[in-house]
Amino acid sequence: QVQLVESGGGLVQPGGSLRLSCAASGNIIGLYAMGWYRQAPGKQRELVARMYSSGDTNSADSVKGRFTIFRDNAKNTVYLQMNSLKQEDTAVYYCFAVISGATPSSQTNYWGQGTQVTVSS
């Protein structure tokens, strides 16, 4: 069992910044990746950014150059620094964690509760 607690969402004007955090606890042995998906009304769920246990990262083309994912291993926490926010970034952001099993295909996904990010003038 893994628990993910998200924070950092809010209301910001276009061009502003927010930092999301996601703290993991519980049985995080085998943690393979953490990151965020987002879901906006009328849109498909989108992978925003992901960090692997190796430290490698990837992110959606729509946020490249604006969002940065990083981690604090001592706190078992990942952060999403969001700069130059646009109205189209408005969504509920859901933190996720992937716990690996004995094989690469045996994985368990965990989800945070979601945090609302609203970008509006």
Side-chain angles (χ1 to χ4, degrees), residues 2 26-33 53 97-102 106-108 110:
V2 173
N27 186 10
I28 59 174
I29 296 174
L31 183 65
Y32 177 68
S53 59
V98 181
I99 307 298
S100 63
S106 60
Q107 299 176 333
T108 302
Y110 297 88

Side-chain angles (χ1 to χ4, degrees), residues 36-64:
W36 278 267
Y37 281 84
R38 66 186 180 187
Q39 180 72 61
K43 297 182 179 179
Q44 293 183 324
R45 187 183 67 173
E46 177 186 30
L47 176 66
V48 180
R50 173 170 52 202
M51 173 171 281
Y52 296 93
S53 59
S54 65
D56 291 338
T57 63
N58 54 33
S59 60
D61 288 342
S62 59
V63 307
K64 287 185 185 300

Side-chain angles (χ1 to χ4, degrees), residues 68-114:
T68 302
I69 186 169
F70 61 100
R71 67 187 179 187
D72 183 340
N73 287 337
K75 297 181 178 180
N76 296 319
T77 300
V78 294
Y79 302 90
L80 185 67
Q81 180 65 47
M82 305 186 295
N83 297 327
S84 301
L85 283 161
K86 306 174 180 179
Q87 289 184 349
E88 49 263 45
D89 295 317
T90 296
V92 178
Y93 286 68
Y94 294 94
C95 179
F96 71 89
V98 181
I99 307 298
S100 63
T103 65
S105 61
S106 60
Q107 299 176 333
T108 302
N109 299 320
Y110 297 88
W111 295 91
Q113 79 280 10

